[in-house]
Every structure is written in C-alpha cells, then in structure tokens.
Amino acid sequence: MYKKALTLAVMVALAGCDTPADLKNTNSNVQEQPVLESTEQVVKYPETRKVDVVDEYFGTKVVDPYRWLEDDMSQETAKWVKSQNKVTFDYLSHIPYREQIEARLTKLMDYEKVGQPFKEGKYTYFYKNDGLQNQYVLYRQLGDGREEVFLDPNTFSEDGTTSLAGTSFSKDGSLMAYQISEGGSDWRKVIVLDTETKKQVGEVLVDVKFSELSWLGNEGFYYSSYDKPQGSELSAKTDQHKLYYHKLGTRQSEDSLIFGGTDEQKHRYVQGYTSDDDRYLAISASVSTSGNKLYLKDLTKPDSELITVLDDTKSDTYVVENQGSKLYLVTNLDAPYKRLVSVDASNPTPDNWKDVIPESDSVLNVSTGGGYFFALYEVDAVSKVKQYDMDGKLIREIQLPDMGTASGFYGEKEDKEIYYTFTNFKTPGTTYSFDVNSGESKVYHKSAAPFNADDYQSQQVFYTSKDGTKVPMTITYKKGTHLDGTTPTILYGYGGFNVSLTPWFSPTRAAWLEMGGIYAVANIRGGGEYGKEWHKAGTQLHKQNVFDDFIAAAEYLTAEGYTSSEKLAINGGSNGGLLVGAAMTQRPDLFKVAIPSVGVLDMLRYHTFTAGAGWAYDYGTANQSKEMFDYLKGYSPVHNVHAGTQYPATLVTTGDHDDRVVPAHSYKFVAELQSKQAGINPTLIRIETNAGHGAGTPTSKIIEQYADIYSFTLYNMGVQKI
C-alpha cells in the first residue's frame, strides 16, 4: 500500500544545484560599504481604503478595516494588487545588483538534474530537468535501452504555470493517471494515459482536490474531492471531503461515492488507498491535519461493510503493507516516536496489534521494498536507516555517506535492487542503488552541480530557548568566514504541523552561500523532529513556544558572533510565514529584514477560508473559547502591528491564486504595516500573478523570486555591492 512513486515535489528538492566554476571566487563574500542613500528612499505606498467592520468575540470587539481585501473576485482588490506590485517592482529596480544576482542564480541552476528512478511495469521512470526548463520532464527507459520522454509538463502551458501535480500507475504499469495544477491552484484535473501508446484514455476528471489516486487493477481508481463551493473557488470554505471511485470508460458524473457523503462520515480530509494485491481498500478520515480514523474494506466482497480499525482521531495511523490478511501499520498511538505493528484484517483494532518494530527514542518512518521494511529514523533531525525483515528482525544498519537526509528505500516486493537519495545543506543530492540482499550501496547518479561541498561547512548546534528547552539548529557557511558579527545571515524556520526540517540541499540556498552569506535552520517546537510531544509543545495554547524558540535562535546567532541584528534576516513560508510575522511583531528590534512568504497571518479568521479549519489542531480557533481567542489575538500578526513602532524592512511574498493560504492574509498584514510603520524601513508586498502556494512554480519564476528576495535583503542590510 505504500505509495512507491517519489513525488515530484520531493524529487525536485533533492535534485541539487550549485555554483558553476566560472563564478567561483575566493573574494565573493558580500562587501561592506557605508549604507547607500538610495536604501533610505522614502516609499510612497498606494492608498488602502479602510472600512467599518467590527467583529465581536466573547464580548471583545475587534476592528477589521481591510476586510474588503478578502474579496479576491473584486475589481478593487485586483487594482490594489496591481498598484502594490508597481511600487514593489519600482523599488526593486533601483537595487544595483538585482540583475547580477538573477544572472548568478540562472547560471547556478543551469545544469542537468536527475531524480530518483522508480519502476512501473516493464519500464524504469525518472524525472529530469535539462537545466532551466520550467518543469521537470518525466522520462522512461526499457532495461538498458535509450531513454525517452514520456510526459513533458513544459508543453502544458506557454509560461510554465501549469504543472504536473502527481502521478499514479496501475499495478502492471499499463495505465497512468496524472494530476495537473493550473496557476498553482489546489484544484486539479486528472488525465489517464495508456503508457504504451501515450494516448489519453477516457475523459478528463475535473475539480479534484487534496487527493491521492489509487488504482484498482486496470479498471479504475479512487480519488478525493469536495463539492465545488459557491462564490470564489480560491477562498470559499471547503470542509466535506469525499472519496469516489472512477471506472474507466464512464463519465465522472457517474462515479461512485465511497465515503464522506453523510453527516456521520463528514470529514475535512479523506483518502483511500488499495493494497498491492487489490484485496483491501484502506480509508483514512481526518477532521484536521493531525489524527485520523481508519477503516478497511474487503474488495474481494464488493458489498462488504467497512471494518473499523480506529474510530477516533487520537493518533496518526496508516497501512504500509500487507501479506494476505496480515496488515502492517505505522502508528503513533501510545508511541509518540511511532512504531510498526501487525494485525489480522479480520479483527484489526488496537487491542490486537503486535509490535514489529517497537518504538525507540527516535522518530520512525517506514518504507518497503524487496520484501523488507526500511526504518528511516530521525536522530536530532538527521537520518539513520535500518533494514528489517517482515518479522521485525534487524538485518543491518545502512551506512550513509555523511550526516544528512536519506529518502527513498521503496520498491516492489520482488525487487532485488532499490534506490535512495542522500543530501544535506551543502551536499547536492546523490542517488544510490541498494542491493537488498548484500546491503551494498553504489552511486547510481551523482549530481552534475559544480558545487564543491568542501568549500563550505555545516554544523549543528544546540541552544537554549526561553523556558530552558534545548533546540537544535544547523548553520552553514563558506569556510574562512569571519564570525565577527558582520556576515549577512538568513534564519529559516517552520515550527508546525509535525513537519521536520531535515538537512536538504537547495539551489537557491547555494546562491546565498556562494555570495558569502550564512544560512541557519532552526528545528523549533511544533515540528516533528522529536515526535508527537515536540509537535504538541508548539500547538494551540503552547504556540508561543514556537516563536520563543525562533527568537532564541536569533539571539544565539548574534551572541555567538555569526551575525548582528543589523545583518539578520528571517524567512519562512506558510506556517513559517506566521512564524516570521509573529517574531517580527514581537521583537522588531532583533531583525533587520523579514520575509514572510504565503503566510497564515490573520489568526482570528484563517479557519473561514478554503480548508483552513483543518489547521485547528495546531492553532485552535477564535470561536472555541475566550481563552483561545485571547491567546490567538495576542500573537496574530495582523492584529499586533502597532503605530509608532519601527519594524524590520519587510518583503511579503504571496500568489494571487493561492487557495491553500489565501493571499488576503498577506494583503491585510501589509496594509497594517504600511499604515503604522515608523522610520524608513520599507514594507512591500510581491504578489506573483497566476501562482499559488508554491508547488509547481516554474524555474523562471523561482529565479526571479529569489533574485528579488536576496537583493532586497542585502540592500536593506547596507550591502553596496556583491
């Protein structure tokens, strides 16, 4: 049942990118000069109309003067977006080295990047980008034969904004269903191809959202979606997810509703996935992004009732494999670091579970391949991998080339050779083949990036947060950098939704390092680095721990001489955008530059948009209690901008088609900052048009975005030239 095909998003992140030889320069560190007068230019912001909107929560009235910006269908909002972009791009155009940074990024990314291979039917498939292609191309080859293009997303649209958003092959590899995203939207279309002829089979499915595609033989597949909302499809609330079965050759309107259609079965997130032998359908149902119910349907008996595995959402549990009626599940029920258990499908409730790989003191993730389990542990956010047989007997620990992140280790039961990728903050991703019997690893594909990891150093430190908690942080920079507090530094964080920030290589980060900057990543609470308790310690009434951890990371970097407040920028996206917004409003003195990207910034209304209510496990909502309302209002970035305060130079980034975290969050935050900012630090918003939350962003737009982010950052740190 494990989804074997490496997702495109993960593959891209691991592909690696780096510095070409002609740009290597021992004197390439950014050079300090007196602050240019042009960095102190006074920005004239567009006028943002205020309205008299007041909400009342538990007797407290809250004004919302920019509520009108939530209407993404209005001409007034569109006009405001256009005028804000004009001011922003006019400002950026005056930065003398902006084009130089863009040219440098372009050269750094212009080399062949190849993803981890995976086998489907008789073919081996892999993603590849020749260099500057907007989207990765899906290739395949038969044995040692010539590789051929199988699917090229660059042909989907002229500007590269229509992307491949997921693929699923039938068990024998003869059919493939793939999703496309237009303009970055989470609403997807699904197209089926005959893999031999590459011709479309049946009609295109529309209005599919937050969905896996899971085949039942070659007859059809399961998928999930919501009813199309009234009003704006980009911002209207969606909260009843439904699982459907689509039979090839029939119309989508005839698809069978499998789960989620009744009040009793109403959940915000529903997924269905079939076992490799097509014997079982597992159905996961969640009301939030954490915790799921789990049901099982015996597909050998078409009219069989659902079997309940878990009827509450107190754990995260999923089926990873089966041997006949014996199921293997990964769960954090009574095991915050997770464990692998087995149970018979006839009576699969927790009281019958038996440990196969017991819980340890490190977070466990499990993949399958070659008839083995691979335990991918996170030890202080660094990978450690062990191989077990199906009975839970340890076969070996797999030796990795360095400290970093290993991913992959999946394949069919009969495979003798599987693949994995290794990377860290300074090492481009290298793909290895792994012999499941001998345990031998061989380099399958080494990154072509001309980046010399030996020129850089990456070290993990542990610092103390406000309440005494020890928090890990990895700091990467060029060897020979003088730690005298003068080096431009970016501190990155996320801190939510059980997401772990393990070491990974990024082409855009390579450009920052190559220019002589320091890049620090803090593994703050709210993430998954130390299991469920680490996550819970950064949720709801404990969310302030996340911001305290991030602020303490910044204080560590300045106290230890890596940088100073005048040379420190903070960055994060989505939940990380909230992190940046909260940190900069709580400690505006600590940072010179803030880059909140696609952020959740209005904490009193986030749950009223799209699927935002599903984030309540992490945040709570303003309606659930007076205590929760007071807490949210106490840190909500939109509600904590105060007149007369000098905030850091701020560049907010978002996409006008973001239907995950609607751009109104960013619009309202910028409007508050522009009306209340004291001093000369600019407050700008960069709104990418025809773009969403980030996935599938074309290479050309990535280069432009990071050229603007880095030039804005350095310019406002007083860097005159690079």
Side-chain angles (χ1 to χ4, degrees), residues 85-106 515 651 686 688 701 703-715 719-722:
N85 266 346
K86 183 179 187 307
V87 170
T88 296
F89 288 108
D90 282 351
Y91 179 93
L92 294 170
S93 69
H94 286 90
I95 300 177
Y97 41 75
R98 178 190 180 204
E99 291 184 0
Q100 183 183 350
I101 292 177
E102 184 173 335
R104 181 172 293 184
L105 277 162
T106 301
M515 288 187 290
L651 179 64
R686 186 189 190 281
E688 190 69 65
K701 288 184 179 290
I703 291 171
E704 292 168 1
Q705 288 170 6
Y706 277 93
D708 290 344
I709 287 171
Y710 290 158
S711 58
F712 178 87
T713 298
L714 294 172
Y715 190 59
V719 174
Q720 184 172 354
K721 61 181 180 179
I722 60 172

Side-chain angles (χ1 to χ4, degrees), residues 468-683:
T469 300
K470 294 293 184 182
V471 182
M473 175 168 57
T474 302
I475 308 169
T476 307
Y477 52 91
K478 185 176 291 187
K479 290 179 179 177
T481 299
H482 297 295
L483 303 182
D484 56 4
T486 64
T487 305
T489 298
I490 294 176
L491 171 61
Y492 180 87
Y494 187 77
F497 297 89
N498 206 36
V499 172
S500 299
L501 295 185
T502 58
W504 78 104
F505 189 85
S506 159
T508 53
R509 185 183 304 110
W512 180 257
L513 296 173
E514 190 265 347
M515 288 187 290
I518 293 174
Y519 201 94
V521 176
N523 298 106
I524 56 184
R525 280 174 285 185
E529 289 87 348
Y530 294 103
K532 194 63 178 178
E533 295 306 314
W534 191 254
H535 173 209
K536 288 169 63 177
T539 62
Q540 298 204 23
L541 296 174
H542 304 291
K543 188 66 178 178
Q544 185 60 41
N545 287 334
V546 179
F547 313 138
D548 289 343
D549 289 356
F550 198 60
I551 289 168
E555 291 173 334
Y556 177 91
L557 291 169
T558 57
E560 296 298 316
Y562 290 96
T563 191
S564 66
S565 292
E566 290 299 306
K567 302 297 179 186
L568 179 58
I570 49 175
N571 177 228
S574 197
N575 175 73
L578 164 62
L579 172 68
V580 172
M584 65 177 282
T585 51
Q586 291 182 15
R587 286 293 307 276
D589 60 302
L590 191 53
F591 318 106
K592 183 61 179 177
V593 177
I595 314 287
S597 300
V598 293
V600 186
L601 298 162
D602 184 343
M603 300 310 296
L604 301 187
R605 288 181 54 77
Y606 78 86
H607 60 291
T608 65
F609 306 113
T610 63
W615 311 335
Y617 182 95
D618 265 57
Y619 299 147
T621 69
N623 300 322
Q624 76 183 56
S625 69
K626 185 179 187 305
E627 183 183 24
M628 195 70 248
F629 158 69
D630 288 338
Y631 195 86
L632 287 167
K633 187 174 182 294
Y635 74 77
S636 175
V638 165
H639 300 91
N640 284 278
V641 179
H642 302 295
T645 301
Q646 179 165 298
Y647 292 99
T650 304
L651 179 64
V652 178
T653 67
T654 189
D656 68 346
H657 280 63
D658 190 344
D659 50 3
R660 186 86 54 88
V661 179
V662 296
H665 285 277
S666 296
Y667 297 170
K668 292 166 75 172
F669 186 51
V670 162
E672 291 285 352
L673 283 168
Q674 289 180 349
S675 68
K676 296 176 180 177
Q677 169 77 291
I680 60 172
N681 288 337
T683 296

Side-chain angles (χ1 to χ4, degrees), residues 685-702:
I685 183 167
R686 186 189 190 281
I687 306 159
E688 190 69 65
T689 56
N690 202 28
H693 198 57
T697 303
T699 298
S700 58
K701 288 184 179 290
I702 292 173

